[in-house]
Structures are given as C-alpha cells and as structure tokens.
Amino acid sequence: AKTNGTDELAGETFTKETYTYKYSTYQISVVAEHGIVFGGGDYEYLSTCTLSVVADFGYEFVAWSDGITKNPRVIQVSQDTILNAVFRLQKQGLCGDNLLWKYEDRTLSIYGTGAMYDYKQDFVPWLLLKDSITSLVINSGCTSIGDYAFYGLSNKAFKSLSLPDGIISIGNYAFAECGYLGNISLCSTLEEIGDFAFANDKRLYYVTCYAMEPPLLAENAFYNYDAILSVPCEAKDIYMKVAPGWKKFNQENAKCIGAETVENPVTEVATKTGDTEVTITWPTSTNAATYTIEISSKGVLVCTLVFNADGILTSINFPVASAPARFAKAVMPKKATLLANGGMQFTVTGLDSGTDYTYVVIIGDAQGQELDSFKGEFKTTGEHGIATAIDEVTDSQKLHVESQKFIRNGVLHIERNGKTYNALGGEVR
C-alpha cells in the first residue's frame, strides 16, 4: 500500500512515498514415487523449508528433479515449487557389519569379512533383484550365511553354488525355494546348517561337502535325500552311519572324495583344437580362488571365462563386437573337468575355424592377486571363417574346385564351380 504526503524542509514542499509489504504464502510440493517425504506445504515469502526423503525398501535416493543431491535440503521460499524425488533400485550396500553386497551383470557378489546379517523372508536388500540373479559369488572372508539370505533365488540359470572356505554356518531357510539349484559344493570349514536351509529345492541332486567332521545338520535341512552325496573318504562312515541328518541320505548314492595317486601332474597349459573349439588343460593350485581364461584373436579379446576353485564356471563374457555371432549361442558345460593328476580341463566352443588365437590362463587368490599365469597360442582347424554346410560336403561333391565366400546384402554366400550357395548349402538362383 502506498501513501502520499508532504513535508516542509527549508521552505520547500516535496512528496513522500511510503510502502508497506504484505508477505504472501507459497506452496512447496514434492512427488516421491518410491519414498516418503518429510516437509513441504505452505510457507511465507522468504521463509525456509526443509525437505527430506526416505527411500522405500530396495530403492535409494539419487537427486531432486532440479539436480540438487542434498538430502535433507533447505529451500528459501520465493515462489510455488514442485519437485520430484528421483530414486533407483539399490544395487549395492551392507549385508553385515563388515560385509558388502553388489549386483552387476546379473551376478550377486558378497565380499568383505565377518558374518552376514540374518533376514526375514522377503526383506533381504536384493529382494527386488532376485528374479534376475543368475549367479551368486560369495568371496573368501565371509564367515556365515544369514537366515533367508538367498531364499527364493529361482532364476532358471541359477543352477550351482560353491561356498568358499571360511564359512562356518548356513542360516535357516538360507537357500530354500531355489527352484533350479541342482549342484552345491559346501566348504571344508562348515560346522552348521540351519533349519530348512535347502528346503523345497526339488532339483538339488548333487551335494558335495568337504568338511572332515560332518557339520551339525537339521533333520529338515534338505528336501531331496536321494541326492548324490559326496564327502571325504575318511569321514564317509561318520556321515552315513552316525551324523544326524546326513545319515538320511541314500547310502547307495553316497560317494567319497579321496586323494588319488598323482602321476605326471599338470604343470603347464595344453590345448587341443577342432574346427570351432579348443580344449584347454591347465594346472591347479591349492591356494587358488579363481582360474581365468582369456582368449583373443588378432589382439582383440574374444571371450573371458572365470572358474572358482572347484572348477565351476562362475562367469563368461565376450565383447559383442569381437566374438563370433554364434559364440553367444554356444552351449558349454558349467563346470570344468577335474583331472586325477591335479589339473582342470574345459572346452570352449563357438570359435571361428582356421583362425589363430592367443590365450592367457591366470590363477588368482582370494584377494584377487595373481599367483601364476600361462600364455600361449593355438589355431583352430578347418577352412578360415564360418563353417557352412558347403564345407561339409565330400571332395567328389566339391569337384576339387576352390570356393569363394562373400557377403551380399548382409548375407553370407559361397561361390563354387560356377554356382552360388547360401550358408546352409542351398543353391541361390
């Protein structure tokens, strides 16, 4: 409001304007799809508003829609404002006082030291990710698996589990309802397996336990006691005749793990090739936690395979730009063959025929340090390039005429004896 008036000063008259402000109120609004907001509402002009947000279970706060990442944050009010709180699925965090978890490339990894937290059903931090988990890697340093920790990991690709030495206990329902889990390897340090730890794992058929003294086992820990049980030879009688729970396994399916006489131990890497595959044999180490194989061609990485200490294939990766197209479709085993003379052997399929490759085999310890490595090279057999149905015909069919492969409109063709064929051997007219 403005008032006009006159004042006299030194005989002069002038106009004086006086302003009086009435403070208005403004509204601060926040939208939070995956969280709860504290603060907001109506505020007077130039007053302050404090906003904070708490993410829903399984999510984490990223930023406000205006780019500010502080939480909580203070706003000086000057106008009506609408903000969005931006969240994302939580993909890493704590799962023990000194244990961390991380989800990447559909693999859930546990690393650090000490015991894992116990959980309630459907309240594990990776709950919203569990249906997409295809591989579980528990690194050395973890001493226990918490209650319900991996309950219901039922992705079709999650078929095997290997626990590293150092784990002492497995909690109640820890691996229950894992619908496709078929093969588990339990470490030598294990002392206790909780109630229903592997309950309703209907496809679990291979159970290996390396502990010399049978771990304390709840009677209801397993669903299928007709599974093939493998234990140390020296302790087999204790497992099968004395130990509660363990003696419920079918004795006819019991096998023993024993030391075999080692003749001509594997001390270096050997390769044997086919047209589109290579079989690699490498030495093992008692201190190894991982065995990594990297295969390259012309200096470009084609594939990387990582095995754990038991020879189980825990990850496979190949750059799309460098790998043969069919490599992604190649069906390979999930486990290396353990040889009696102290080595491992694995066949990599889906390579190009008639092609030079180099490889490196890296043996790593639990801390990720390299213990040893082996480098070499090999060449696949057959004619260079992608094998086709034409390549499989007899010499008489080929008429001893050299063939030529070429790409037309993005499709592979073969020209032979004046005729053109597709990759399946059909004549192209």
Side-chain angles (χ1 to χ4, degrees):
K2 181 175 70 174
T3 59
N4 293 328
T6 59
D7 277 341
E8 293 184 358
L9 181 62
E12 295 183 4
T13 301
F14 67 94
T15 299
K16 179 178 69 175
E17 295 184 345
T18 303
Y19 292 90
T20 303
Y21 293 97
K22 178 182 179 182
Y23 285 2
S24 298
T25 60
Y26 295 96
Q27 188 174 61
I28 306 298
S29 301
V30 179
V31 178
E33 183 178 357
H34 297 294
I36 300 174
V37 175
F38 297 92
D42 294 329
Y43 294 84
E44 290 187 345
Y45 178 72
L46 296 185
S47 64
T48 57
C49 165
T50 300
L51 297 176
S52 63
V53 63
V54 177
D56 289 342
F57 183 79
Y59 288 88
E60 59 184 358
F61 173 75
V62 178
W64 305 94
S65 53
D66 59 359
I68 302 298
T69 58
K70 290 183 177 180
N71 180 35
R73 64 176 293 185
V74 177
I75 298 175
Q76 188 174 45
V77 178
S78 60
Q79 60 183 1
D80 289 335
T81 303
I82 299 177
L83 291 170
N84 286 292
V86 181
F87 301 89
R88 65 186 172 201
L89 282 173
Q90 186 180 7
K91 294 187 178 181
Q92 59 184 10
L94 283 172
C95 58
D97 290 345
N98 295 295
L99 277 181
L100 298 169
W101 69 274
K102 184 176 182 179
Y103 173 87
E104 187 175 27
D105 296 331
R106 309 190 77 176
T107 296
L108 177 62
S109 300
I110 308 297
Y111 55 97
T113 58
M116 184 182 293
Y117 294 140
D118 288 326
Y119 296 100
K120 299 293 185 181
Q121 183 178 347
D122 294 336
F123 279 94
V124 293
W126 41 84
L127 175 67
L128 301 180
L129 300 164
K130 74 174 187 177
D131 290 340
S132 64
I133 295 172
T134 61
S135 178
L136 173 63
V137 178
I138 302 174
N139 292 283
S140 296
C142 176
T143 59
S144 73
I145 307 297
D147 293 350
Y148 287 95
F150 307 109
Y151 178 94
L153 293 187
S154 292
N155 190 288
K156 291 182 178 180
F158 180 55
K159 297 180 179 180
S160 63
L161 167 71
S162 180
L163 299 183
D165 279 346
I167 292 179
I168 297 172
S169 64
I170 298 175
N172 301 331
Y173 292 92
F175 295 96
E177 301 292 340
C178 294
Y180 292 89
L181 184 60
N183 185 350
I184 62 173
S185 178
L186 305 176
C187 56
S188 63
T189 56
L190 191 62
E191 297 178 2
E192 183 178 1
I193 300 176
D195 289 336
F196 302 101
F198 296 93
N200 214 26
D201 292 352
K202 297 181 180 180
R203 289 179 171 84
L204 184 56
Y205 193 63
Y206 297 97
V207 178
T208 301
C209 185
Y210 291 95
M212 291 297 298
E213 182 176 340
L216 182 63
L217 179 67
E219 293 281 339
N220 51 20
F222 288 93
Y223 169 85
N224 181 16
Y225 285 93
D226 281 331
I228 295 176
L229 174 65
S230 299
V231 297
C233 291
E234 300 92 325
K236 182 179 176 182
D237 285 347
I238 301 176
Y239 272 90
M240 303 309 299
K241 297 179 181 179
V242 178
W246 295 103
K247 61 183 180 180
K248 289 178 63 177
F249 280 90
N250 186 341
Q251 298 224 6
E252 294 181 359
N253 289 341
K255 299 181 180 297
C256 68
I257 309 165
E260 299 182 50
T261 301
V262 176
E263 296 181 359
N264 300 319
V266 176
T267 57
E268 58 185 23
V269 174
T271 61
K272 181 180 179 181
T273 59
D275 277 4
T276 60
E277 66 184 32
V278 61
T279 299
I280 302 177
T281 303
W282 67 92
T284 57
S285 170
T286 55
N287 297 320
T290 60
Y291 299 96
T292 302
I293 300 176
E294 297 177 349
I295 297 177
S296 302
S297 178
K298 297 180 180 179
V300 178
L301 182 65
V302 173
C303 66
T304 301
L305 303 99
V306 181
F307 303 83
N308 66 15
D310 298 314
I312 295 174
L313 182 62
T314 59
S315 71
I316 180 170
N317 181 52
F318 51 93
V320 174
S322 63
R326 67 178 178 283
F327 190 85
K329 300 178 182 178
V331 178
M332 288 187 286
K334 298 297 183 183
K335 193 175 190 300
T337 301
L338 303 180
L339 304 178
N341 55 354
M344 289 187 182
Q345 190 175 82
F346 191 81
T347 299
V348 180
T349 62
L351 302 174
D352 274 335
S353 60
T355 302
D356 293 312
Y357 291 95
T358 59
Y359 68 84
V360 57
V361 177
I362 303 169
I363 302 177
D365 64 12
Q367 287 71 45
Q369 300 297 313
E370 182 178 312
L371 297 175
D372 204 351
S373 65
F374 304 85
K375 296 181 180 180
E377 57 186 35
F378 63 88
K379 182 175 182 178
T380 51
T381 58
E383 185 179 346
H384 175 71
I386 300 173
T388 69
I390 290 293
D391 296 323
E392 304 302 324
V393 302
T394 64
D395 284 344
S396 60
Q397 290 173 302
K398 292 180 180 179
L399 300 177
H400 303 284
V401 176
E402 290 294 326
S403 64
Q404 181 179 1
K405 297 180 182 180
F406 62 95
I407 303 294
R408 178 187 295 164
N409 297 327
V411 178
L412 176 68
H413 291 79
I414 302 94
E415 185 176 81
R416 187 190 303 277
N417 198 29
K419 294 184 179 181
T420 303
Y421 301 88
N422 60 27
L424 298 178
E427 186 176 352
V428 178
R429 299 183 182 277

